[in-house]
Amino acid sequence: MRDCTIDQVTAAAYRVPTESPEGDGTLAWDATTMVVVTVRAAGVTGTGWTYAPAAAAAFVSGTLAGVLTGAGADGVPALHAALARQVRNAGRPGIAGYAVSAVDVALWDLKARLIGVPLARLWGMARDRVPLYGSGGFTTYDDATTRAQLARWVHEQGIGRVKIKIGESSGSRPDRDLHRVALARRTIGEDAELYVDANGGYTAKQAVRVAERMGEQDVTWFEEPVSSDDLAGLRLVRERCAADVTAGEYGCDLGYFTRMCAAGAVDCLQIDATRCGGYSGWFAATAVAAGHHLEVSAHCAPNLHLPAAAATINLRHIEWFHDHQRIEAELFDGAADPGGGEARPGTDTPGHGLTLREAAAERYRVA
């Protein structure tokens, strides 16, 4: 690759309203904010993004841009290390972690575009099709809305794995949780896999009791039954639950992932490149999981994760999260098709293959 010096770093925030109010076990929202970072060198632009408060855009412009401007675009590992040093006193979790993640994705996209190769081929592909699962089923949905969403995924798009939210109102409505799980099973039929996500809404023993009841509906994936920080609770549920227990997406450093794996807290480690350091953080975390003989799953931001997932040997699947897929399909050219329960990473365009539709995004811009 020719010597290319980074000459511009920009960041913008876009707040996109949801189609209807959305909620899970511990949070409710009516809009989602996406922070988009662009890094330019030699007339070529790399793009990265994260789903974070708009303050992450200001953090990129005010704290991180100066580290990159004037540096060579080819040395992404060195640039990632420099970003990590820059945020030492700001901390890796939270706003700083989101910002670093979006910048790292933009840097890898830039490098691949400068070379003229797809990211999946730059890293080396482990597969040409990436398995996925439909994710939504928010606790704010009524039964008709839940049925319609699940039926479309399974019976129209041929997606054989789906996930709904439970743990409603911080675990205070297990009766409705179980009703919705049964509704989901009736809707998708016997052959599709059924997953649930409590978003940390239960206590450990409560999660065990709910898991026992959900066994009647053949639930095979129980995400964050308790807080991702409660490793002992996760381990208890894992030991007592027939479904695979997963958590981990909120961790922002390798120490967190290492502790979770070493504690025997999960059956599959969930990783979010938009929070844990971008693509660089993704591959570091997948290596930690592989060292503990665990598979990994990508959390949210499906189109961003697609090329990295294609290059990951110990991948189980990626989350085709309704909220983020809707935004990415509207605001980017190049969004993938999930039909058949698999998606193909872009192999005919350089980088991750997505280009922001600036005109479409502008009406949502807040920073």
Side-chain angles (χ1 to χ4, degrees):
M1 186 179 83
R2 62 188 185 277
D3 183 21
C4 297
T5 300
I6 295 172
D7 56 46
Q8 186 180 70
V9 180
T10 64
Y14 305 93
R15 188 174 187 271
V16 183
T18 58
E19 298 166 314
S20 61
E22 296 177 354
D24 55 36
T26 53
L27 188 68
W29 60 95
D30 60 10
T32 297
T33 301
M34 178 178 65
V35 173
V36 178
V37 173
T38 59
V39 182
R40 192 183 69 179
V44 177
T45 300
T47 304
W49 67 97
T50 184
Y51 294 94
F59 191 88
V60 170
S61 301
T63 303
L64 302 182
V67 175
L68 304 177
T69 305
D74 60 332
V76 180
L79 293 174
H80 183 90
L83 293 172
R85 290 193 296 272
Q86 182 71 3
V87 302
R88 188 200 71 176
N89 290 343
R92 288 295 300 278
I95 297 299
Y98 287 121
V100 168
S101 300
V103 170
D104 182 89
V105 170
L107 288 170
W108 279 111
D109 184 48
L110 174 62
K111 178 170 183 172
R113 289 174 189 262
L114 286 167
I115 298 173
V117 300
L119 267 175
R121 294 202 184 282
L122 176 66
W123 292 319
M125 295 175 65
R127 59 184 58 78
D128 59 5
R129 295 174 179 266
V130 176
L132 59 89
Y133 67 90
S135 172
F138 301 109
T139 57
T140 47
Y141 283 177
D142 60 21
D143 286 1
T145 303
T146 300
R147 278 196 301 267
Q149 185 180 70
L150 297 178
R152 178 172 182 268
W153 284 334
V154 175
H155 304 304
E156 295 181 25
Q157 294 184 291
I159 298 174
R161 313 170 191 88
V162 295
K163 186 177 78 178
I164 67 169
K165 300 289 190 179
I166 61 171
E168 182 177 345
S169 302
S170 296
S172 65
R173 293 291 309 278
D175 54 337
R176 185 164 188 264
D177 292 337
L178 293 168
H179 162 77
R180 295 178 63 252
V181 172
L183 172 71
R185 174 51 72 193
R186 290 195 301 272
T187 301
I188 67 177
E190 295 180 356
D191 295 333
E193 293 185 53
L194 179 56
Y195 299 169
V196 298
D197 181 0
N199 287 99
Y202 296 131
T203 65
K205 289 188 177 180
Q206 183 184 23
V208 170
R209 292 193 295 270
V210 171
E212 290 174 349
R213 296 283 302 278
M214 289 192 303
E216 302 169 5
Q217 308 302 334
D218 193 23
V219 171
T220 56
W221 172 275
F222 197 172
E223 182 175 331
E224 208 179 8
V226 299
S227 169
S228 287
D229 294 326
D230 182 4
L231 300 188
L234 286 168
R235 185 171 59 248
L236 173 65
V237 179
R238 178 175 179 257
E239 292 171 349
R240 300 281 298 276
C241 177
D244 282 354
V245 171
T246 182
E249 66 270 15
Y250 298 110
C252 294
D253 59 64
L254 285 183
Y256 171 85
F257 291 124
T258 301
R259 290 190 298 274
M260 177 165 286
C261 292
V266 294
D267 296 288
C268 179
L269 184 64
Q270 203 164 32
I271 308 171
D272 190 331
T274 74
R275 300 176 180 182
C276 72
Y279 290 137
S280 297
W282 165 273
F283 286 113
T286 62
V288 169
H292 289 83
H293 309 288
L294 290 176
E295 291 181 316
V296 300
S297 178
H299 175 261
C300 293
N303 291 280
L304 182 148
H305 282 110
L306 190 54
T312 299
I313 294 174
N314 57 322
L315 179 88
R316 183 176 296 194
H317 43 43
I318 65 176
E319 179 179 19
W320 214 256
F321 183 52
H322 171 72
D323 197 20
H324 294 176
Q325 170 59 16
R326 180 180 60 87
I327 293 171
E328 291 168 7
E330 179 183 356
L331 301 189
F332 289 95
D333 287 323
D337 178 3
E342 296 179 323
R344 288 180 175 271
T347 55
D348 55 357
T349 55
H352 48 51
L354 276 79
T355 303
L356 182 69
R357 298 177 181 137
E358 295 186 9
E362 189 58 32
R363 67 190 179 109
Y364 299 122
R365 185 163 179 168
V366 293

